[in-house]
Structure formats: structure tokens, C-alpha cells
């Protein structure tokens, strides 16, 4: 009589195959759910903490965060409306690396090196 190893029985192989297909399908569904709901695994760091707003230095590319309800410190001003950076590397954060607000309140190109 021929002996068959337990690991080689057709029923065991079939169960392992079903388990692999089920795991792959679950992973595919989870990935599709992330994509379809617009979820992103990318982390974006905020410029300021909750309860603060960003300000820029006058005549330079420096910045700081000021508590809501407080005025910017001397030498700083608010960013122009609609041009406020909210997250690191967002459109306006990148823009203000090469632009600044001069003493007259005009937006000008920053000198080389900021």
C-alpha cells in the first residue's frame, strides 16, 4: 500500500490555494477602497499648530507662527489673503521661498539665498 504525506493531499493543496486567493482578494479590495475614497497614505505637516496662523518676515523669507487673536510681532506681517501657506511644501510654502514682502508691502523676488 502506498503512503501519502498529509501535506501532499489534494484537499490540503486546494485549501491553501483558496486561502491565498482570499488573502489576495482582501488586499485588492482594501487598496481599491483607499483609492476610491481618496484616502492618501501621504503625510503632510502643517505650517502652524492649531490655534496659530503663519506670518512672514518683512524684507526676508523667514516665517513664524502667531497665536490666533494676536498681532504679528515687529518685523513680521500677515501673508496676503489667498497666498497663505498651510502645509509644508504646499503651493504657497514653495512660492514664499523665492518671494518676500518688502517694507512697502509689495511682493518682490527674494534675493539669492533668501
Amino acid at each position: 500500500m502506498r503512503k501519502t504525506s498529509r501535506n501532499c493531499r489534494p484537499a490540503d493543496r486546494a485549501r491553501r490555494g483558496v486561502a491565498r486567493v482570499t488573502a489576495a482578494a482582501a488586499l485588492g479590495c482594501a487598496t481599491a477602497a483607499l483609492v476610491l475614497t481618496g484616502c492618501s497614505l501621504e503625510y503632510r505637516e502643517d505650517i502652524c499648530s492649531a490655534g496659530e496662523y503663519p506670518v512672514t518676515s518683512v524684507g526676508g523669507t523667514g516665517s513664524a507662527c502667531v497665536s490666533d487673536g494676536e498681532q504679528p510681532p515687529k518685523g513680521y506681517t500677515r501673508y496676503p489673503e489667498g497666498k497663505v501657506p498651510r502645509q509644508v511644501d504646499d503651493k504657497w510654502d514653495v512660492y514664499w521661498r523665492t518671494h518676500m514682502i518688502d517694507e512697502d508691502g509689495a511682493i518682490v523676488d527674494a534675493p539669492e539665498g533668501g
Side-chain angles (χ1 to χ4, degrees):
M1 181 169 153
R2 191 170 147 207
K3 290 187 176 183
T4 305
S5 168
R6 278 191 103 153
N7 293 334
C8 294
R9 289 189 302 183
D12 289 338
R13 284 194 303 259
R15 276 194 288 271
R16 283 194 302 266
V18 169
R20 287 184 188 132
V21 169
T22 303
L27 179 60
C29 288
T31 302
L34 284 173
V35 170
L36 293 174
T37 60
C39 291
S40 173
L41 300 178
E42 179 181 339
Y43 172 76
R44 300 290 302 260
E45 183 178 357
D46 291 337
I47 296 289
C48 294
S49 299
E52 298 179 324
Y53 67 94
V55 294
T56 184
S57 61
V58 175
T61 58
S63 63
C65 294
V66 177
S67 295
D68 290 343
E70 291 185 15
Q71 293 298 315
K74 185 176 181 170
Y76 287 83
T77 189
R78 292 177 182 264
Y79 287 97
E81 191 171 330
K83 296 182 178 183
V84 180
R86 300 289 179 204
Q87 295 179 318
V88 175
D89 294 332
D90 70 10
K91 173 184 174 180
W92 294 113
D93 183 41
V94 172
Y95 175 84
W96 289 111
R97 293 176 193 169
T98 57
H99 295 80
M100 62 184 202
I101 298 178
D102 69 10
E103 293 79 19
D104 299 322
I107 298 173
V108 296
D109 288 339
E112 193 82 25

